[in-house]
Amino acid sequence: LRHASQQVSAPANMQNGAFSVGGLVIDYGKHRVFLDGNDCHVTQNEFKILSLLSRHAGRVLTYDYIIKNIWGQNPGGSNQVLRVHMANIRRKIEKNPANPQYIFTEMGVGYRMAEND
């Protein structure tokens, strides 16, 4: 039921549109992420995180908000799982993960995606 409700609540642009910022393109319809035209080969959870951040580009999403939207109401554990996923995402999409241009960390709060073009 949880998965069904998440699919129903997804906005129309999440179903078949695309998000673009700089050289990063998140294609919701194809369920793929491209950087400068090259496929980034992200996992399902990495794609869900990127989709959520891009849908709210420019706004800070708290750690708890992201965790609840990706893993459900009672994910168990801490923010460490999210941090590991974010580190993997940054290795795949950022030219220099230490100096990101697409996903920014708001210390102690959460993450923010750069606004689209």
Side-chain angles (χ1 to χ4, degrees):
L1 290 174
R2 184 183 80 231
H3 293 289
S5 67
Q6 287 178 348
Q7 290 176 353
V8 170
S9 66
N13 67 341
M14 289 292 292
Q15 300 292 327
N16 50 19
F19 172 84
S20 172
V21 59
L24 179 69
V25 176
I26 301 169
D27 190 325
Y28 304 119
K30 293 181 181 177
H31 204 69
R32 295 171 73 182
V33 178
F34 300 94
L35 181 62
D36 298 328
N38 300 314
D39 196 337
C40 291
H41 303 289
V42 296
T43 67
Q44 182 177 356
N45 281 336
E46 291 168 352
F47 183 82
K48 287 179 183 178
I49 293 167
L50 285 167
S51 295
L52 182 64
L53 288 169
S54 64
R55 184 175 38 179
H56 301 285
R59 296 190 322 197
V60 177
L61 300 183
T62 65
Y63 301 123
D64 289 340
Y65 182 83
I66 296 169
I67 290 169
K68 285 179 183 173
N69 275 273
I70 303 303
W71 290 282
Q73 293 297 323
N74 298 313
S78 65
N79 298 341
Q80 191 59 33
V81 172
L82 178 58
R83 288 184 181 142
V84 169
H85 280 290
M86 291 305 295
N88 291 336
I89 290 169
R90 283 190 170 137
R91 273 193 295 261
K92 293 175 182 181
I93 69 168
E94 300 284 0
K95 292 179 176 143
N96 180 4
N99 187 22
Q101 65 185 55
Y102 300 116
I103 300 175
F104 307 100
T105 302
E106 301 295 334
M107 297 302 289
V109 180
Y111 297 101
R112 175 177 52 86
M113 172 75 78
E115 293 188 63
N116 63 344
D117 300 335

